[in-house]
Amino acid sequence: MKNKKLCPITVGNYFFKKFGEKDILKLNKLVYYSYCWYRVLVKKSLTFEKPIKTKYGIFFNSLLNSVFNGDEKQRYISEPIPYKNFTCISNDISKLLDKIWTMYGDKDSVYLSALCNKDAKNLIVGDYIPNKVIHKNYILKENSAKRK
C-alpha cells in the first residue's frame, strides 16, 4: 500500500458518506481504529495528525474540534465536515475502512470509547496499541483470518 497520509476529517467523512454515520464521537473512534489497523498492517501512519490522549479518551483534534465544542446538539453531523484540502482515498484504504466498519460499525460511541479506553491509565498513543481488541497480534490474526 503506497498511499498519501490523510486528514482525520477525510477518513471521518468516508464513514459519513458511505455508511451514514453521524455521531462525531463515534466517527472519531472509527478513525482511531482505522489508524491503529493501518499502523500495524502497513507500519505507517494513516493520517498526518496523530491522535491525542485526553482525560476524556483518544481523539483527533481536527475531527473533534471541526464541529463539536462540547454542546450535545453539535455531536451529530448532517453533512460532510468541511475540509478544503480534499484527498481521494485509495482502493486499499477504502477496503481497510470498509473492514473497520464491518467490525465496529454496529457499536455505539460509548462502547467504542470503553473498548478503546480500557487501558487508558497505561495508554501511550503511538507505537503501543492498547487492549486485545486493537492490539497488534489481534489485528494481524483478524487480518489473516479474513484473507482465507
Side-chain angles (χ1 to χ4, degrees):
M1 288 185 196
K2 185 177 181 183
N3 297 301
K4 192 176 187 179
K5 288 183 182 179
L6 301 171
C7 176
I9 293 172
T10 302
V11 180
N13 279 338
Y14 179 89
F15 290 116
F16 172 80
K17 290 176 184 176
K18 184 155 186 184
F19 303 107
E21 184 53 55
K22 298 176 182 178
D23 181 343
I24 195 70
L25 298 178
K26 181 174 175 180
L27 287 172
N28 225 306
K29 296 306 177 206
L30 291 169
V31 173
Y32 177 66
Y33 281 74
S34 303
Y35 173 89
C36 292
W37 275 70
Y38 194 81
R39 282 210 52 163
V40 169
L41 298 175
V42 183
K43 296 179 179 45
K44 293 183 181 177
S45 181
L46 174 63
T47 60
F48 56 74
E49 177 186 340
K50 289 185 178 185
I52 60 162
K53 180 179 73 168
T54 71
K55 65 181 181 178
Y56 303 108
I58 302 163
F59 297 101
F60 288 91
N61 263 335
S62 64
L63 184 58
L64 190 65
N65 294 331
S66 61
V67 294
F68 185 63
N69 66 5
D71 181 355
E72 193 64 25
K73 292 177 190 164
Q74 293 182 317
R75 182 170 163 186
Y76 299 93
I77 57 174
S78 57
E79 57 188 41
I81 302 164
Y83 181 66
K84 54 186 161 192
N85 297 329
F86 177 77
T87 305
C88 285
I89 294 178
S90 71
N91 281 344
D92 287 342
I93 292 177
S94 289
K95 288 177 187 173
L96 175 66
L97 299 181
D98 292 349
K99 176 186 269 190
I100 295 298
W101 181 262
T102 301
M103 296 180 74
Y104 306 111
D106 63 336
K107 312 292 189 264
D108 64 18
S109 61
V110 174
Y111 178 88
L112 292 176
S113 290
L115 203 59
C116 195
N117 298 333
K118 206 158 109 175
D119 282 345
K121 67 179 186 228
N122 299 321
L123 181 65
I124 301 166
V125 179
D127 292 330
Y128 171 72
I129 300 172
N131 72 50
K132 65 179 182 181
V133 177
I134 52 176
H135 189 275
K136 178 180 178 179
N137 293 335
Y138 174 83
I139 291 171
L140 293 173
K141 181 178 143 201
E142 282 295 308
N143 191 57
S144 64
K146 301 289 183 202
R147 289 184 180 180
K148 292 179 182 176

